[in-house]
Amino acid sequence: MSHQIIREWSLSDRPREKLLEQGRRALTDAELLAILIGSGTSKETAVDLCRRILASVEYDLFRLSRLEVSELMEFKGIGAAKAITIVAALELGRRRQESDAAERAQLNSSSKAYQFLRYKLQDLGHEEFWVVYLNTGCKVLQTQFIGKGGADFTPVDVRMILKAALLCNATSLILFHNHPAGTLKPSEADKKITKKIKSAAEFMELKVHDHIIISDTGYFSFRDEDLL
C-alpha cells in the first residue's frame, strides 16, 4: 500500500474519508498530519511521509511541536507551505490547551501556576521569561512576555515588569521562565534576578508570590523550596 497514492486506497483507509465516517479520534497521528499536508511524493504517500516524520521524533508530539519550519523542510516531500501548515496546526493545539488552563484561573499554589503557563513554555528550544500579574484574590489580571534568550540566559527588564504591574493595578505577581535543557535546578543568575525583582517590587508595595521554572518534565517553585 505504501507505493499507492491515497486516492487509490480503499475508502475506509483514506484519512479524510475515515475522519468523516469514523470521527476524528479514529485517526492515527500520522493520518491527521497527512490531512494537513495533503500529498506525499511519487514514492511515498502522505501518510507514510508523516509516519517517517513522527518516527524521527519517536512519535512524541511535544518533540514534533518543537521543530522549526526549516527542520521540517529537511524531509523530502515537505516544502515551506506544508511545514508552515504543520507548525500552525500544532500551535493552535498548544493555544487550545493554554486557553483551557486560563479559564477562571486563580493561581494560589505552585501547581496551579505551573498548569497555567506550562503550555506556553514547555516545548521551546530557547529560554523565555514571563510574568503573570494577579489581584488580591490571586486571580489573573494579565500575562506578559518579558524577553527571550538562548538556551540558558534571558535578559530581564525589571522596570518593564513594575510598570505593567501598576498599569493593570496588580497587587502581586508570579515570575516564570523555562529551562530548555531540562534541568529544574535554579542557576545563580536565576536566584539573583529573583532577588532583584522581589526587592524592587516590595518598594512598590507589590508581592512576588513565586518564581516557577518550567521544563518539559515538570517545574521548580522558589516558594515551595523556601527561596523567596
Side-chain angles (χ1 to χ4, degrees), residues 11-27 31:
L11 284 175
S12 61
D13 286 329
R14 299 178 191 174
R16 291 186 182 89
E17 286 79 358
K18 186 175 179 180
L19 188 150
L20 288 172
E21 293 175 3
Q22 301 179 40
R24 71 191 79 172
R25 288 179 174 80
L27 275 68
E31 289 170 332

Side-chain angles (χ1 to χ4, degrees), residues 37 41 49 53 69 72-80 82-83 86:
I37 69 172
T41 67
L49 171 55
I53 294 172
V69 169
L72 287 166
M73 288 174 63
E74 292 176 5
F75 292 90
K76 183 176 175 59
I78 300 294
K82 291 180 179 179
I86 292 172

Side-chain angles (χ1 to χ4, degrees), residues 158 162 195-206:
V158 178
L162 298 180
K195 184 177 180 180
K196 183 177 181 180
I197 295 171
K198 180 185 177 183
S199 177
E202 287 175 345
F203 184 75
M204 304 296 292
E205 297 184 350
L206 294 166

Side-chain angles (χ1 to χ4, degrees), residues 82-103:
K82 291 180 179 179
I84 289 169
T85 298
I86 292 172
V87 169
L90 290 169
E91 175 63 12
L92 277 174
R94 185 194 65 76
R95 292 187 186 188
R96 180 267 173 102
Q97 291 177 309
E98 180 183 304
S99 179
D100 290 344
E103 186 178 358

Side-chain angles (χ1 to χ4, degrees), residues 12-120:
S12 61
D13 286 329
R14 299 178 191 174
R16 291 186 182 89
E17 286 79 358
K18 186 175 179 180
L19 188 150
L20 288 172
E21 293 175 3
Q22 301 179 40
R24 71 191 79 172
R25 288 179 174 80
L27 275 68
T28 65
D29 292 345
E31 289 170 332
L32 290 169
L33 281 176
I35 291 175
L36 292 175
I37 69 172
S39 62
T41 67
S42 59
K43 296 182 178 180
E44 195 174 36
T45 68
V47 174
D48 286 332
L49 171 55
C50 290
R51 287 195 188 110
R52 187 157 57 86
I53 294 172
L54 285 166
S56 74
V57 293
E58 298 179 337
Y59 300 91
D60 185 334
L61 293 179
F62 274 114
R63 287 180 58 187
L64 180 64
S65 69
R66 298 183 72 165
L67 296 182
E68 301 291 346
V69 169
S70 59
E71 293 174 301
L72 287 166
M73 288 174 63
E74 292 176 5
F75 292 90
K76 183 176 175 59
I78 300 294
K82 291 180 179 179
I84 289 169
T85 298
I86 292 172
V87 169
L90 290 169
E91 175 63 12
L92 277 174
R94 185 194 65 76
R95 292 187 186 188
R96 180 267 173 102
Q97 291 177 309
E98 180 183 304
S99 179
D100 290 344
E103 186 178 358
R104 303 176 68 86
Q106 184 181 30
L107 309 188
N108 55 8
S109 70
S110 62
S111 61
K112 288 181 180 180
Y114 164 65
Q115 292 296 336
F116 177 74
L117 214 63
R118 61 179 292 198
Y119 300 113
K120 196 179 290 293

Side-chain angles (χ1 to χ4, degrees), residues 129-131 133 144 146 156-167 173 175 193 197 201 206 208:
F129 198 100
W130 290 72
V131 177
Y133 303 95
Q144 183 182 36
I146 301 300
V156 177
D157 187 337
V158 178
R159 291 172 301 175
M160 179 191 298
I161 295 172
L162 298 180
K163 180 179 179 181
L166 293 174
L167 287 174
L173 50 93
L175 313 173
I193 191 62
I197 295 171
L206 294 166
V208 176

Side-chain angles (χ1 to χ4, degrees), residues 113-114 117 121 128-130 132 174-177 211-212 214:
Y114 164 65
L117 214 63
L121 290 170
E128 291 190 357
F129 198 100
W130 290 72
V132 174
I174 300 177
L175 313 173
F176 293 83
H177 81 281
H211 185 170
I212 305 290
I214 294 175

